[in-house]
Amino acid sequence: MLLVSTAMYGAHAPLLALCHVDGRVPFRPSSAVLLTELTKLLLCAFSLLVGWQAWPQGTPPWRQAAPFALSALLYGASNNLVIYLQRYMDPSTYQVLSNLKIGSTALFYCLCLRHRLSARQGLALLLLMAAGACYAAGGLQDPGNTLPGPPSAAAAGPIPLHISPLGLLLLILYCLISGLSSVYTELLMKRQRLPLALQNLFLYTFGVLLNLGLHAGGGPGPGLLEGFSGWAALVVLSQALNGLLMSAVMKHGSSITRLFVVSCSLVVNAMLSAALLQLQLTAAFFLATLLIGLAVRLYYGSR
């Protein structure tokens, strides 16, 4: 399950690149997010209806659904902050500094779940942050462009590195919300004695309502399914399945395990980008891969 989730995370960016028409995504991002949440909700409802997971006996525990509203709100705030952050910094700066959410997740993991990390485990998470920053700074390169940074930025021309004071504050807020949303959801799922499918049903119901409101309030633009292709449908389906897999990881594993899945997916992302988008792997990619391997060994290896 972890391997499948890692592959899906890594395939997201290359699949999204294959959706481009004339260098841009032809559909509204809010449409993709809304359809992803709706697909998760339908899959959870289907699993309960066909009996893959048993419905709890007695009165349906609707009161236990309320805490998931905060979880959906945190995820929604995190997803939308990513969009606004781009106004106050360049893409390379964002990709490097956003790795600070690894540290914020570990902080909330220790505070909220009262787990103590050893010095060895702390060092492993620092290596994960370094690996993410290293990969974002230049793990892939367009053969026809020698500019540093992500290929998309390089293809558009040299963009000076910059971040405004407001952008820095928003980035810190984003990292804190991202870490809190993951740990809070893990805490809910582990404390409630409910089937995972039912907990996901609660979470994604609120998620659909929230994203429906955001989509409707986003102003004029393409329709809900306008611009969608087979590749776009595959992006939505893979993201929905990956979300369900991640909820299982957080219920039976931890938010820290999720961090390692996301970091390991960088390797899959790079390999698929090189194969499908004709991008070159650089020395920074191999260094990032080495750092991820060391981090996994330090955190999960024998003491």
Side-chain angles (χ1 to χ4, degrees):
M1 188 168 62
L2 291 175
L3 289 175
V4 171
S5 184
T6 300
M8 286 185 175
Y9 260 116
H12 177 63
L15 287 176
L16 202 56
L18 292 172
C19 296
H20 284 195
V21 176
D22 297 327
R24 56 182 292 273
V25 176
F27 52 84
R28 292 175 66 177
S30 60
S31 297
V33 175
L34 175 58
L35 290 172
T36 299
E37 294 296 301
L38 183 59
T39 302
K40 294 178 193 175
L41 179 62
L42 293 175
L43 288 174
C44 292
F46 180 76
S47 67
L48 286 169
L49 287 174
V50 300
W52 288 349
Q53 291 197 34
W55 185 272
Q57 296 181 352
T59 305
W62 301 120
R63 290 184 180 179
Q64 296 187 59
F68 286 98
L70 177 57
S71 185
L73 185 62
L74 289 171
Y75 279 123
S78 176
N79 292 335
N80 282 276
L81 268 175
V82 171
I83 299 173
Y84 288 108
L85 281 172
Q86 312 304 318
R87 301 179 181 180
Y88 304 102
M89 67 192 72
D90 63 282
S92 296
T93 299
Y94 164 73
Q95 290 192 27
V96 172
L97 294 183
S98 64
N99 287 283
L100 292 173
K101 65 185 178 184
I102 294 176
S104 65
T105 302
L107 175 64
F108 284 116
Y109 181 75
C110 294
L111 293 177
C112 299
L113 299 179
R114 298 183 180 180
H115 285 288
R116 295 187 62 182
L117 298 178
S118 65
R120 181 186 177 114
Q121 291 173 322
L123 177 58
L125 295 178
L126 287 176
L127 289 177
L128 274 191
M129 292 173 63
C134 185
Y135 178 80
L140 290 170
Q141 187 175 37
D142 189 332
N145 199 313
T146 58
L147 293 172
S152 58
I159 301 177
L161 300 178
H162 70 278
I163 180 170
S164 67
L166 178 58
L168 183 60
L169 288 175
L170 288 176
L171 181 74
I172 294 173
L173 179 62
Y174 162 72
C175 291
L176 291 174
I177 292 177
S178 177
L180 180 60
S181 62
S182 179
V183 174
Y184 175 74
T185 303
E186 178 187 346
L187 183 65
L188 276 182
M189 290 184 166
K190 287 183 174 176
R191 282 190 173 179
Q192 294 183 352
R193 296 182 178 275
L194 295 174
L196 178 58
L198 183 59
Q199 290 178 314
N200 281 333
L201 190 72
F202 294 155
L203 174 61
Y204 298 133
T205 297
F206 289 116
V208 167
L209 293 175
L210 175 64
N211 284 284
L212 183 61
L214 292 173
H215 179 77
L224 182 62
L225 296 177
E226 188 175 343
F228 265 73
S229 63
W231 289 117
L234 187 57
V235 168
V236 169
L237 181 60
S238 65
Q239 286 296 100
L241 292 175
N242 198 31
L244 296 175
L245 287 173
M246 279 296 99
S247 65
V249 167
M250 287 192 288
K251 186 173 181 70
H252 304 293
S254 70
S255 297
I256 301 297
T257 305
R258 178 180 176 273
L259 293 179
F260 278 92
V261 169
V262 175
S263 295
C264 290
S265 71
L266 296 179
V267 180
V268 179
N269 173 275
M271 301 300 290
L272 287 177
S273 296
L276 299 177
L277 307 178
Q278 307 302 312
L279 299 177
Q280 287 183 347
L281 303 178
T282 67
F285 161 74
F286 294 103
L287 177 58
T289 302
L290 176 62
L291 291 175
I292 292 171
L294 288 174
V296 172
R297 179 69 178 84
L298 279 174
Y299 197 93
Y300 293 106
S302 58
R303 303 296 192 272

